[in-house]
């Protein structure tokens, strides 16, 4: 690494982001960051990559893309019910200006959620990309998981679906003032909701990053159950159907992804506050995800985003 | 993420690498991996990126490049004196074949050092690249750091320098049967040596990834001291000078990098076993790194690898 790169790290990354956490003894500046985990707590760690032209359009602002990448990673912690304590970023950039822009986005996202940037690296690359690794804490043994749904649980959704996919369509069709475009610009990881759910005793949760159908399928497969979803229970369906048509709405909700809502299951007797989530279905014995519209079965295509299709 | 991508993760990454560690409760398969850190221990974490055409030649085997990337990251743990407990990898790949090849390299490196692959992701990218995040454990408060050298310490080197840079030169000049080319193929992170040094009470260490001069400079700057290095004390200098000439040898040793030797300082009274390291200089008051040849000062250029030059 060159002096120039150290200067970039000093000016774009070191001390950026949220306040330092008791979890971290030493952040950026050595071969590794040094941490002291809390007794009685588990750590959860997620690591995800975003690549220009693959995860975001080439004409999308790089700072916003980096902001989104950080928030998407934080959403994984929300799905586990964890509080974020540290973030490492790897910035791959075509030029110094891209490093600075992505650094700005990283810093902005971490400030909003008050998470400390503790390490990572930056390097030259023929394509702009960013990998984000996040760590969160939660009381020992309480992490929400995909494999803990029961066949008599209800299925709930916290947050909204479809906005990102509709915004992306509008962006790609150069409708830059489209109704949904602003949903592209910022992801809201539901960290507080995740912690709340975990504290209430919810055991099974996932964040909807790959479309409702695929992510519900992950719960079904991991928990060895089936899931039934009622489309008319989805939040905002009336408004969105009117705005873009039923087909586009269902496409965006079922396959769109990247809204980072939380999909979770809970025993029927567990009371979930209305402000936190809506009930959109139930688990059952069996396997797979079935979709209903006003009680009638719908035929839906089973697919998500194809990376190596 | 597509089913296809999950299949790739299942076949290339899940359960690959070393044995599972007590540190990890749940590895690949949820939104995040789940860990239970040991009481009385600190965690150290490092995250680094390697990009095809930047960190490795485009005609270099991708499996070996990924193996090297993992070992380079493990070397950061060696520099802290930590034992590796978990690795996350982000594989960015042009095609499925590249994912498989890089997955093979990751798995191979992790098996050699018995470290579990616990998470990460894989995605399509116009350029092959890999980011590796590693976590290691060590007793609370004992991590070796760059900023803990004292002005009356001696400077020691564990491992050898210059081989990688000479091998790379030969590779780039199509001397594929060159004497040093095989040093390109595998990095040996000095994990056991790092743990040994930390247990002996060494407080200041760095791994030489950016060339001796630059990495010694990091210790000097962070510890607010100066460092004097005697070139004739460097291991292998006679043989290498004869083989490639003095100029190429010094260039490779001072600026080459990527040999992942450990550079550390220790009080004069600390006895370091000859098999573990050689004394190559001493710390002093002041700042900067000075280089001597048989006691005579040498003029050397201060530079490392320029990422955004």
């Amino acid at each position: 690494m060159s002096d120039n790169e150290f200067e970039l790290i000093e000016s774009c990354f070191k001390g950026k982001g949220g306040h330092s956490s008791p979890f971290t003894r030493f952040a950026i500046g050595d071969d590794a960051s040094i941490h002291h985990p809390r007794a009685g707590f588990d750590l959860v760690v997620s690591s995800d990559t975003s690549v220009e032209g693959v995860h975001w359009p080439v004409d999308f602002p790089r700072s916003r893309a980096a902001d989104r990448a950080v928030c998407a990673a934080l959403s994984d912690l929300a799905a586990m019910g964890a509080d974020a304590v540290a973030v490492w970023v790897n910035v791959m950039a075509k030029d110094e200006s891209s490093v600075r822009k992505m650094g700005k986005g990283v810093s902005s996202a971490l400030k909003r959620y008050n998470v400390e940037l503790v390490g990572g690296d930056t390097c030259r690359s023929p394509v702009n990309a960013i990998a984000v690794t996040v760590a969160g804490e939660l009381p020992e043994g309480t992490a929400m998981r995909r494999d803990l749904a029961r066949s008599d649980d209800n299925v709930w959704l916290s947050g909204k679906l479809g906005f990102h996919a509709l915004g992306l369509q509008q962006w790609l069709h150069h409708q830059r003032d489209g109704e949904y475009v602003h949903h592209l610009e910022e992801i809201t990881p539901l960290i507080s909701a995740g912690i709340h759910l975990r504290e209430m005793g919810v055991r099974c949760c996932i964040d909807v990053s790959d479309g409702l159908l695929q992510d519900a399928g992950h719960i079904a497969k991991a928990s060895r159950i089936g899931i039934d979803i009622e489309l008319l229970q989805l939040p905002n369906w009336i408004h969105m159907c009117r705005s873009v048509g039923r087909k586009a709405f269902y496409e965006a909700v079922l396959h769109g992804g990247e809204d980072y809502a939380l999909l979770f299951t809970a025993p029927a007797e567990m009371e979930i506050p209305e402000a936190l989530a809506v009930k959109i279905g139930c688990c059952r014995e069996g396997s797979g995800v079935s979709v209903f519209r006003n009680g009638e079965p719908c035929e839906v295509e089973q697919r998500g985003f194809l990376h190596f299709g």
Side-chain angles (χ1 to χ4, degrees), chain A:
Chain A
M1 196 158 69
S2 71
D3 280 352
N4 169 284
E5 199 172 338
F6 293 110
E7 280 158 27
L8 268 177
I9 288 176
E10 287 279 336
S11 70
C12 299
F13 299 101
K14 197 169 177 179
K16 302 292 179 182
H19 292 108
S20 66
S21 151
F23 173 68
T24 299
R25 287 178 186 272
F26 191 95
I28 295 172
D30 213 304
D31 285 304
S33 53
I34 308 175
H35 307 278
H36 191 62
R38 269 207 281 182
F41 281 71
D42 281 350
L43 270 185
V44 294
V45 179
S46 176
S47 188
D48 271 307
T49 318
S50 296
V51 178
E52 189 170 80
V54 178
H55 297 85
W56 77 82
V58 290
D59 58 350
F60 191 72
R62 284 155 282 181
S63 61
R64 295 240 61 95
D67 185 309
R68 282 179 55 87
V70 169
C71 292
L74 292 176
S75 177
D76 282 326
L77 299 185
M80 310 300 282
D83 199 11
V85 290
V87 169
W88 300 258
V89 297
N90 310 103
V91 172
M92 292 147 267
K94 283 164 123 165
D95 48 39
E96 191 175 316
S97 152
S98 298
V99 178
R100 293 191 185 281
K101 282 173 179 156
M102 291 198 273
K104 201 173 151 194
V106 166
S107 172
S108 160
L110 292 179
K111 266 189 195 143
R112 285 203 305 286
Y113 296 95
N114 196 23
V115 193
E116 187 180 6
L117 182 63
V118 301
D121 69 344
T122 177
C123 68
R124 186 166 58 79
S125 160
V127 61
N128 292 318
I130 180 169
V132 181
T133 303
V134 290
E137 281 189 330
L138 36 69
E140 194 177 338
T142 65
M144 299 189 291
R145 292 163 51 158
R146 300 176 180 188
D147 58 352
L148 297 177
R150 304 264 175 107
S151 59
D152 50 358
D153 279 357
N154 286 325
V155 177
W156 296 79
L157 182 76
S158 181
K160 290 165 184 168
L161 295 177
F163 290 95
H164 172 270
L166 294 173
L168 182 61
Q169 282 309 311
Q170 293 183 330
W171 180 279
L172 294 174
H173 289 91
H174 303 287
Q175 299 162 20
R176 298 292 152 90
D177 54 353
E179 179 184 353
Y180 298 102
V181 163
H182 71 281
H183 293 285
L184 262 194
E185 293 183 357
E186 203 170 299
I187 290 170
T188 304
L190 301 178
I191 295 180
S192 304
I195 293 172
H196 191 164
L197 294 172
R198 189 249 303 150
E199 286 173 347
M200 288 171 61
V202 170
R203 303 292 291 122
C204 173
C205 184
I206 193 171
D207 70 328
V208 186
S209 51
D210 296 322
L212 178 61
L213 213 57
Q214 184 154 280
D215 286 313
H218 290 319
I219 289 182
K221 190 175 174 194
S223 297
R224 299 176 184 204
I225 53 149
I227 286 179
D228 291 339
I229 287 171
E230 170 55 60
L231 289 178
L232 298 197
Q233 299 298 327
L234 291 173
N236 283 56
W237 78 272
I238 297 177
H239 173 74
M240 286 177 90
C241 279
R242 279 187 190 148
S243 156
V244 299
R246 189 191 290 174
K247 194 169 166 237
F249 168 59
Y250 287 162
E251 172 72 21
V253 161
L254 293 177
H255 303 297
E258 302 218 40
D259 286 303
Y260 300 98
L262 297 181
L263 182 72
F264 63 98
T265 79
E269 65 274 15
M270 190 182 284
E271 284 185 28
I272 309 288
E274 209 175 302
L276 192 58
V278 292
K279 195 182 123 184
I280 63 163
C282 52
C283 302
R284 55 173 162 77
E285 296 193 357
S287 64
V289 179
S290 303
V291 176
F292 299 83
R293 189 175 168 279
N294 205 14
E296 296 295 319
C298 296
E299 288 264 339
V300 290
E301 208 185 331
Q302 304 283 338
R303 62 176 168 81
F305 179 73
L306 268 175
H307 258 294
F308 299 100

